[in-house]
């Protein structure tokens, strides 16, 4: 009985609702027809930024049409990139009014297509702007030096000063570093990204980042300073154009790094061997309590370094520049030093100095050549490396040496930004089609199909023995680092010795060679590798020999035998 009463009540409630709807709504109102000729909706926050469009396209005082004025600008303070600028000019769905039903008309689909076409044009950067963004000269800078000298901290500070890392992110790193009782490490976390590096405070892999000035695009390569990771450092040095040797001025730390066994010496030598012609020595931690911007300590470090750098092959007058700095406070990195802090140094700050360096000589017109430093799989095989010669664009057919595998360029990236072409000197990522990840190893080279790089396993080279306790004779084996290849080599034959002063070659074949001697030897590798003679391609023709964790010799390839 009660169930029937509840049913009746519900029917009565529905009838009352129908009556209230009929009396409260005008059901005879005309159908709404949108005005397709109405002016474009402009959000209130853009009213002052975007002038009302004139009835006809006309040239402004600056000679620019309204359509060009509406294009996204690269250096927009309110947006980090052109994509965000385009999104800012387009109302987001959450802020738009609800869409109204369209009248059944054939022109509606065309209007919708036009709108989507406009949106697509806004989101796609103009070709001129994309080219303008990358006309800056690419320069690869590697930070080298002994462990704990402050390489990663300086790199993180530079990224903050140039706006590549925001203050909020650094504050987050600072909080996390404090939780681990590592307050002074937070700047280095911008480059040391994995947990192992952050926990131990030691860089293991070569960190990568970039920053820009008005004329140049700099790629930072943060090399590991520990002697256990020297092979990783060599892989980074072979991609560098400019080396920054970071020295700790703190009492005791400079001496530890510069003594035999310290990485200051080895890193400077390896950078020179890798082909770096210009060296900047940053004497860091000048604000330390044991230094306090002392000119005497600065000169002491400088005077000890110059003889060794000269011995390695750098010309102190033309190739080396010394600068005092503090990576933790950012002193003398972007802005010149305050005379109250340091009255005796009047030279330029680090970033302005490297910005005004003369342009580098690039082999832009040569055949394409890119040694592969690393590769991984992400919906296709992606290779990383530095373009040593020539240029490449999307869709190009290339050859993967030494396997001679034909591949196609699917996509190209320059510092995480996709691009249609890459040029000599740039650090890039290339997505390849036609090969698998297992088919590629570090040390392989992407080449022009018509002019591939040479390959072989027997070659003659001139070698300088730097540090080796015993003698070297036929049958001796070591690890050879040539561009991004690390391969075991065996001395097959000692051809002759070379006099250091006169350059004369001995007429009798030596039975052995020892430390501080220069010799021409024949080497045999355990497998076929990519290499060129030093005369033809210096980037693929210089190498180092390492044994028992030490660099024992440096050399250059003279001739490929087989």
């Amino acid at each position: 009985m009660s169930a029937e009463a509840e049913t009746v009540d519900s029917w009565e409630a529905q009838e009352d609702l129908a009556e209230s709807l009929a009396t409260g709504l005008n059901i005879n109102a005309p159908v709404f027809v949108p005005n397709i000729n109405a002016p474009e909706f402009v959000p209130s926050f853009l009213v002052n930024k975007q002038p009302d469009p004139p009835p006809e396209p006309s040239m402004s005082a600056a000679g620019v049409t309204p359509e060009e004025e509406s294009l996204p600008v690269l250096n927009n303070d309110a947006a980090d990139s052109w994509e965000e600028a385009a999104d800012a000019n387009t109302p987001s769905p959450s802020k738009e009014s609800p869409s109204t039903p369209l009248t059944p008309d054939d022109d509606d689909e065309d209007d919708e297509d036009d709108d989507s076409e406009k949106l697509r044009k806004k989101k796609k950067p103009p070709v001129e702007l994309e080219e303008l963004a990358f006309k800056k000269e690419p320069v690869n800078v590697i930070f080298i030096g002994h462990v704990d000298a402050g390489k990663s901290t300086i790199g993180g500070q530079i990224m903050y000063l140039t706006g590549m890392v925001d203050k909020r992110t650094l504050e987050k790193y600072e909080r996390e570093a404090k939780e681990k009782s590592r307050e002074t490490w937070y700047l280095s976390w911008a480059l040391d990204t994995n947990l192992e590096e952050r926990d131990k405070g030691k860089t293991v892999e070569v960190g990568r980042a970039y920053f820009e000035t008005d004329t140049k695009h700099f790629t930072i390569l943060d090399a590991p300073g520990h002697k256990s990771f020297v092979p990783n450092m060599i892989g980074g040095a072979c991609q560098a154009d400019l080396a920054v040797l970071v020295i700790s001025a703190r009492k005791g730390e400079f001496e530890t790094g510069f003594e035999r066994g310290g990485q200051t010496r080895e890193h400077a030598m390896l950078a020179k061997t890798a082909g770096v012609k210009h060296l900047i020595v940053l004497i860091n931690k000048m604000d330390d309590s044991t230094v306090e911007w002392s000119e005497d300590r600065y000169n002491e470090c400088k005077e000890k370094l110059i003889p060794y750098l000269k011995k390695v092959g750098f010309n102190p007058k033309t190739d080396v520049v010394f600068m005092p700095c503090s990576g933790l406070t950012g002193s003398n990195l972007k802005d010149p030093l305050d005379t109250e802090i340091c009255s005796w140094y009047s030279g330029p700050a680090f970033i302005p100095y490297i910005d005004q360096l003369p342009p580098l000589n690039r082999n832009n017109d040569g055949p394409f050549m890119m040694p592969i430093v690393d590769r991984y799989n992400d919906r296709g095989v992606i290779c990383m490396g530095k373009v040593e010669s020539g240029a490449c664009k999307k869709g190009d057919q290339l050859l993967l040496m030494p396997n001679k595998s034909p591949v196609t360029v699917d996509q190209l990236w320059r510092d995480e930004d996709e691009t249609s072409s890459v040029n000599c000197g740039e650090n890039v990522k290339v997505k390849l089609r036609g090969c698998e990840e297992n088919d590629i190893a570090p040390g392989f080279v992407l080449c022009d199909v018509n002019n591939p790089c040479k390959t072989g396993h027997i070659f003659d080279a001139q070698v300088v023995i730097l540090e080796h306790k015993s003698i070297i004779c036929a049958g001796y084996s070591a690890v050879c680092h040539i561009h991004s290849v690390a391969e075991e080599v065996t001395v097959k034959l000692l051809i002759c010795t070379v006099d250091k002063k006169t350059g004369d070659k001995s007429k009798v074949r030596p039975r052995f060679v020892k430390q501080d001697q220069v010799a021409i030897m024949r080497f045999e590798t355990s497998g076929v590798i990519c290499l060129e003679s030093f005369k033809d391609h210096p980037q693929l023709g210089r190498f180092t020999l390492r044994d028992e964790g030490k660099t024992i010799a440096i050399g250059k390839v003279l001739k490929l035998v087989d």
Side-chain angles (χ1 to χ4, degrees):
M1 185 71 184
S2 60
E4 291 178 5
E6 287 178 6
T7 305
V8 171
D9 289 343
S10 64
W11 278 104
E12 288 175 354
Q14 287 190 15
E15 288 175 2
D16 292 342
L17 177 63
E19 284 183 14
S20 64
L21 287 173
T23 56
L25 297 175
N26 183 6
I27 59 174
N28 297 318
V31 177
F32 172 73
V33 179
N35 181 6
I36 60 174
N37 296 316
E40 184 182 356
F41 170 72
V42 180
S44 59
F45 60 86
L46 290 176
V47 169
N48 295 328
K49 296 183 182 179
Q50 188 172 345
D52 293 330
E56 292 182 2
S58 60
M59 299 298 286
S60 63
V64 183
T65 62
E67 289 82 358
E68 291 171 339
E69 287 181 357
S70 66
L71 290 174
V73 182
L74 282 174
N75 296 325
N76 189 350
D77 294 334
D80 293 333
S81 61
W82 64 264
E83 294 97 333
E84 291 176 329
D87 291 340
N89 290 328
T90 308
S92 63
S94 60
K95 294 182 181 179
E96 288 180 349
S97 56
S99 59
T100 54
L102 294 171
T103 54
D105 193 356
D106 294 337
D107 293 335
D108 292 335
E109 293 179 3
D110 296 334
D111 292 339
E112 192 172 345
D113 292 339
D114 291 341
D115 291 339
S116 62
E117 185 64 29
K118 286 179 184 175
L119 187 63
R120 213 162 31 242
K121 285 181 180 177
K122 278 186 178 181
K123 296 232 176 191
K124 186 177 180 181
V127 176
E128 295 84 6
L129 291 180
E130 190 180 5
E131 289 177 354
L132 180 65
F134 295 110
K135 275 184 179 175
K136 297 178 179 180
E137 183 193 2
V139 181
N140 304 291
V141 184
I142 186 164
F143 286 82
I144 58 176
H146 192 65
V147 65
D148 289 337
K151 301 181 292 298
S152 300
T153 299
I154 289 175
Q157 185 69 262
I158 288 171
M159 289 174 67
Y160 171 63
L161 293 173
T162 55
M164 301 310 297
V165 175
D166 57 27
K167 190 175 181 181
R168 191 172 175 182
T169 304
L170 277 187
E171 286 172 351
K172 176 192 167 192
Y173 290 160
E174 192 171 11
R175 285 195 305 271
E176 292 174 357
K178 278 184 179 178
E179 290 172 5
K180 296 185 176 184
S181 301
R182 300 287 187 267
E183 291 86 348
T184 58
W185 292 4
Y186 74 98
L187 282 165
S188 68
W189 287 13
L191 287 163
D192 292 342
T193 53
N194 67 48
L195 290 175
E196 181 189 357
E197 291 180 328
R198 290 183 174 184
D199 289 342
K200 294 182 179 179
K202 292 178 182 177
T203 304
V204 176
E205 297 178 351
V206 176
R208 290 172 182 271
Y210 71 94
F211 68 96
E212 290 186 343
T213 61
D214 292 337
T215 58
K216 294 181 181 176
H217 178 93
F218 292 96
T219 299
I220 296 175
L221 301 165
D222 179 30
H226 198 276
K227 62 182 180 181
S228 301
F229 309 117
V230 168
N232 294 356
M233 178 268 165
I234 295 172
C238 71
Q239 304 170 62
D241 303 309
L242 179 69
V244 180
L245 179 62
V246 181
I247 301 295
S248 173
R250 183 180 288 166
K251 198 166 185 180
E253 285 191 2
F254 167 71
E255 287 76 10
T256 303
F258 190 66
E259 287 171 1
R260 286 192 177 272
Q263 297 311 111
T264 299
R265 290 169 177 265
E266 188 170 15
H267 278 207
M269 182 264 298
L270 289 171
K272 183 64 178 175
T273 308
V276 175
K277 294 181 176 63
H278 200 82
L279 182 73
I280 299 171
V281 182
L282 284 182
I283 299 184
N284 189 27
K285 303 187 183 181
M286 290 295 292
D287 59 331
D288 189 75
S289 57
T290 63
V291 184
E292 293 183 345
W293 296 97
S294 166
E295 184 178 8
D296 292 338
R297 178 61 170 169
Y298 173 82
N299 288 332
E300 181 188 352
C301 297
K302 187 175 174 181
E303 287 165 8
K304 287 183 178 179
L305 278 167
I306 286 176
Y308 180 75
L309 296 177
K310 194 173 180 180
K311 181 183 175 183
V312 165
F314 289 104
N315 186 335
K317 294 181 180 178
T318 58
D319 302 340
V320 184
V321 174
F322 288 84
M323 292 181 188
C325 76
S326 169
L328 197 60
T329 63
S331 301
N332 206 37
L333 290 181
K334 186 178 181 183
D335 299 319
L337 279 170
D338 191 344
T339 51
E340 294 181 2
I341 298 175
C342 181
S343 58
W344 47 268
Y345 180 78
S346 57
F350 173 68
I351 295 175
Y353 176 77
I354 60 175
D355 189 34
Q356 57 83 36
L357 286 173
L360 297 161
N361 293 325
R362 304 284 193 194
N363 188 15
N364 294 310
D365 299 327
F368 181 77
M369 198 176 292
M370 188 192 95
I372 294 169
V373 176
D374 199 2
R375 84 279 185 243
Y376 60 93
N377 201 316
D378 184 9
R379 297 180 184 177
V381 181
I382 297 176
C383 300
M384 301 167 62
K386 178 190 172 188
V387 181
E388 295 288 2
S389 172
C392 167
K393 61 182 185 296
K394 195 173 174 181
D396 277 1
Q397 301 289 326
L398 298 176
L399 208 58
L400 189 62
M401 299 294 284
N403 289 354
K404 300 182 181 178
S405 307
V407 291
T408 306
V409 177
D410 238 3
Q411 282 177 285
L412 293 164
W413 291 270
R414 185 194 291 110
D415 290 321
E416 308 303 325
D417 298 323
E418 192 171 346
T419 181
S420 57
S421 63
V422 293
N423 299 309
C424 184
E426 294 174 343
N427 265 290
V428 299
K429 290 194 290 188
V430 185
K431 187 174 184 179
L432 299 176
R433 188 171 70 245
C435 64
E436 298 294 332
E437 183 184 1
N438 295 333
D439 300 335
I440 305 174
F444 281 26
V445 180
L446 279 174
C447 309
D448 191 319
V449 175
N450 300 318
N451 199 345
C453 75
K454 296 181 178 67
T455 60
H457 69 104
I458 299 175
F459 61 94
D460 291 347
Q462 182 172 312
V463 181
V464 181
I465 313 299
L466 299 171
E467 183 180 355
H468 194 58
K469 292 179 181 178
S470 60
I471 60 172
I472 293 175
C473 54
Y476 174 78
S477 295
V479 177
C480 174
H481 293 266
I482 180 166
H483 58 91
S484 52
V485 178
E487 190 81 12
E488 186 176 352
V489 296
T490 304
V491 177
K492 195 174 182 182
L493 182 69
L494 296 177
I495 297 173
C496 64
T497 56
V498 180
D499 190 282
K500 278 187 174 182
K501 294 180 180 178
T502 62
D504 295 336
K505 299 175 184 177
S506 64
K507 295 180 180 178
V508 181
R509 286 187 178 179
R511 294 174 60 191
F512 61 87
V513 290
K514 55 186 179 180
Q515 186 171 315
D516 293 330
Q517 280 191 307
V518 181
I520 295 177
M521 308 179 185
R522 179 161 294 178
F523 291 96
E524 183 174 7
T525 62
S526 54
V528 177
I529 61 170
C530 297
L531 75 167
E532 292 272 356
S533 66
F534 183 82
K535 181 178 65 177
D536 295 337
H537 288 282
Q539 302 88 348
L540 275 71
R542 48 169 76 92
F543 63 90
T544 60
L545 291 178
R546 286 179 57 80
D547 189 21
E548 296 180 355
K550 293 181 180 179
T551 301
I552 61 163
I554 57 175
K556 58 183 181 180
V557 177
L558 299 178
K559 180 177 70 171
L560 272 72
V561 179
D562 184 13

